[in-house]
Amino acid sequence: MQKNIFVKTIFIVAVLVLFTALIFLGNDWSRSIAAIKEHGLLGGMQENIRLGLDLKGGSHLILQVMVDEAVSAETDHVVELLKQELQKANVPFTDMSKPDQNRPERIVIKGIPPDNSTPLRTIATEQLQTYELGAGPENSYILTMKPTALEQLKQRTVEQSIEAIRTRIDTFGVSEPVIEEHGSGNYQILIQLPGVDDPVRVREIIQRTARLDLRQVYRTASGFASEQEAQQAFGGVLPPNTVLLHGRDVNAESGSQERVYVVSRIPIVGGTDIRHSEPGTDERGRPDVSFSLTTPAGKKFASFTAAHNEKTTDPDHFLAVVLDNRVREAANIQEQIHDSVRITGGFSEETAKDLALTLNSGALPASIHTIQESTVGPSLGADSIRSGVRAAIFGMVAVMVFMLVYYRGAGINADLALILNLVILLGFMGFTGSTLTLPGIAGVILTVGMGVDSNVLIFERIREELRHGKAPSAAVDQGFGRAWLTIIDTHVTTIVSAFILFIFGTGPVKGFAVTLTFGLLANLFTAVFVSRVIFDALLNRKQRGEALSI
């Protein structure tokens, strides 16, 4: 019996030492030791148990994803595909457009003779399976994206935006950011950034669409002074499938003068074709950004530049780099270009670095607008920490004093179990790098209450058995045995509730669920196993028939 108790005691001490070490050392001992050397034990603890937004301070944003832009971009490609396929099939049409800006999923095709509608239906059936083709007024046809495909595209746009934003935020080293969809069916994103040093810059990078396109430029790479001048250069009518875009004066050193360029509506390659981007400097030491294209895009770009350069007969041998619908650079295409492109001029070192970062993280599929923003100051977080820690300490001390007064010697047993429970919980948080939030502190306090509840159930059972005349050893055995099912029932139901909170809750609520769940699991170990070992060790030292202090 004594040997069995000794082995169990060694196991309990080992658990205590292990989880105490995890509080300060976490799962990266070298980093934690460096923090301890610099800031002491508290620095090691802060390195592993991070503070959430409500405790550390930071930024809270709700962003609206403009999903209709992604829908419009998708249908723009469909329009170009239809034009190419109808031309191949020698099917005439007078107009193909999206007349309703509020419904970018609808394409209206006009002027197709009734006897030539078969090729259009064949194209829609074979190549555009996510669209429905119907007859419209005045000998027209309406091609509409199916509702399920439309909703999938919008939802995919939100998901891609979340991933792109997450990649950008990760480069700033923000610990435990919350980036998730907000609101059901509203196409919104919730972002919480604890302890950001430069919230303005982070917000700008988050919202930057960085839609980079390479487009053909018509007539001149120098642009025009105004839109009217650009129109007049083409006799008042722009070439088909072209648009007017504003941008910097590529010939000016500062780029401060505004110019207007006539560029192709559909880009040659887009931001999704970029494989890698990095900041650098040009021959004159000015910051620039270079990037390479994916293999398919590189082949497409090489084919285009081979057919449109100064050595060919094409007069429009110009190329524009368009960033967020503004011409960043335009130049002659001197020879065939394969898969490497460089953007120069108008950058500072920071803006060049930010642009490279944004391009590497992937262009957002649609622009995003801030609809709510708030900043939590560190002073508010410090107040929350002090209040939460004070509440936890006062509550735990009050509980421990009550257990000592009410249960006398057995109260020491319960208090030791509660302390070990708290050590195990904090060690778990340190090892997993969990984020401690104000609701998380509430979860710790609730765990203490649940631990006391388990001890009360066991101790009252033991008292009841003693009143019935049982010997102390038999009373302890019966008390633990009969209280076990009740303890399991209360803990399992609470853990299930915490699990539901973790699945459907936001960041702080998830923090509450995590601390509560592991605290309850630790409580099963301390209240049942540890407390029983302490009782057995005490009983082993008592004389037969000696009373139990409870």
Side-chain angles (χ1 to χ4, degrees), residues 146-159:
K146 295 179 181 179
T148 54
L150 178 63
E151 180 58 30
Q152 289 175 358
L153 175 59
K154 291 181 177 180
Q155 194 61 39
R156 188 165 62 250
T157 300
V158 175
E159 293 172 357

Side-chain angles (χ1 to χ4, degrees), residues 74 156 255 306 329 381 400 402 425 429 442:
E74 173 68 21
R156 188 165 62 250
E329 185 175 352
M400 293 175 69
F402 168 80
L425 176 56
M429 296 182 66

Side-chain angles (χ1 to χ4, degrees), residues 187-204:
Y187 313 113
Q188 297 174 355
I189 300 174
L190 168 67
I191 300 177
Q192 293 182 343
L193 307 174
V196 290
D197 295 326
D198 191 352
V200 175
R201 183 183 172 204
V202 172
R203 184 175 69 251
E204 289 176 351

Side-chain angles (χ1 to χ4, degrees), residues 247-465:
R248 59 182 291 269
D249 185 354
V250 297
N251 295 320
E253 187 68 24
S254 63
S256 59
Q257 185 176 350
E258 191 83 358
R259 301 290 287 179
V260 178
Y261 299 85
V262 180
V263 302
S264 58
R265 180 183 298 275
I266 304 300
I268 305 163
V269 293
T272 55
D273 299 317
I274 294 176
R275 182 174 56 191
H276 177 69
S277 176
E278 60 182 10
T281 55
D282 61 13
E283 295 81 0
R284 301 170 64 178
R286 298 175 302 179
D288 66 5
V289 178
S290 60
F291 58 88
S292 57
L293 302 173
T294 61
T295 301
K299 292 180 179 179
K300 181 180 178 181
F301 190 55
S303 176
F304 172 83
T305 54
H308 303 80
N309 62 64
E310 290 180 344
K311 300 176 183 178
T312 65
T313 58
D314 186 357
D316 297 318
H317 49 265
F318 312 109
L319 185 70
V321 177
V322 181
L323 181 64
D324 291 339
N325 286 326
R326 282 187 59 83
V327 175
R328 188 73 183 188
E329 185 175 352
N332 297 338
I333 304 175
Q334 297 179 352
E335 58 186 7
Q336 185 182 24
I337 306 173
H338 291 275
D339 60 354
S340 296
V341 185
R342 186 175 65 179
I343 316 172
T344 61
F347 290 110
S348 65
E349 289 187 6
E350 184 175 281
T351 56
K353 181 180 179 181
D354 288 348
L355 176 58
L357 181 157
T358 308
L359 294 177
N360 283 330
S361 66
L364 292 174
S367 62
I368 52 179
H369 296 164
T370 302
I371 60 177
Q372 181 180 330
E373 179 180 4
S374 60
T375 301
V376 179
S379 59
L380 177 61
D383 292 340
S384 299
I385 294 173
R386 283 193 294 269
S387 300
V389 171
R390 190 183 300 118
I393 293 175
F394 287 172
M396 191 163 184
V397 169
V399 167
M400 293 175 69
V401 170
F402 168 80
M403 296 299 286
L404 286 173
V405 172
Y406 193 73
Y407 289 109
R408 292 174 288 182
I412 300 176
N413 184 332
D415 291 346
L416 291 175
L418 283 177
I419 293 172
L420 181 57
N421 189 357
L422 186 60
V423 170
I424 292 175
L425 176 56
L426 293 177
F428 164 77
M429 296 182 66
F431 178 75
T432 57
S434 300
T435 299
L436 183 63
T437 61
L438 197 58
I441 295 177
V444 174
I445 297 173
L446 182 57
T447 299
V448 172
M450 292 289 291
V452 172
D453 179 67
S454 300
N455 287 121
V456 169
L457 285 173
I458 295 171
F459 292 175
E460 289 301 318
R461 276 288 186 179
I462 294 175
R463 278 183 167 182
E464 184 179 345
E465 296 298 327

